[in-house]
Amino acid sequence: MKAFVDKDICIGCGACTGICPEVFDMDNDGLAIAINEDLSSELEGSAVEAQDGCPVSAIAVE
């Protein structure tokens, strides 16, 4: 699985980094980025939780 952040939608709330800091971080513009796009099976659950917790649906885990 892979994680993606749509920076055109992201509002920089930081919810994803709070839920799954192993996969998501904030960039210099204050927007989320996927620092670990290729997800190990151990990270898939928390990455999906971050996707579900994003208030603007800027995260995709596929």
Side-chain angles (χ1 to χ4, degrees):
M1 296 186 90
K2 290 185 178 255
F4 305 94
V5 177
D6 186 336
K7 294 180 83 170
D8 292 330
I9 299 173
C10 179
I11 59 172
C13 72
C16 57
T17 61
I19 295 169
C20 189
E22 301 87 0
V23 176
F24 302 102
D25 199 1
M26 305 303 281
D27 69 7
N28 292 333
D29 295 327
L31 301 176
I33 57 170
I35 55 173
N36 189 0
E37 290 181 358
D38 291 318
L39 303 177
S40 65
S41 59
E42 296 86 29
L43 295 176
E44 288 177 7
S46 60
V48 169
E49 186 179 338
Q51 171 187 268
D52 294 343
C54 181
V56 293
S57 300
I59 296 172
V61 177
E62 303 171 341

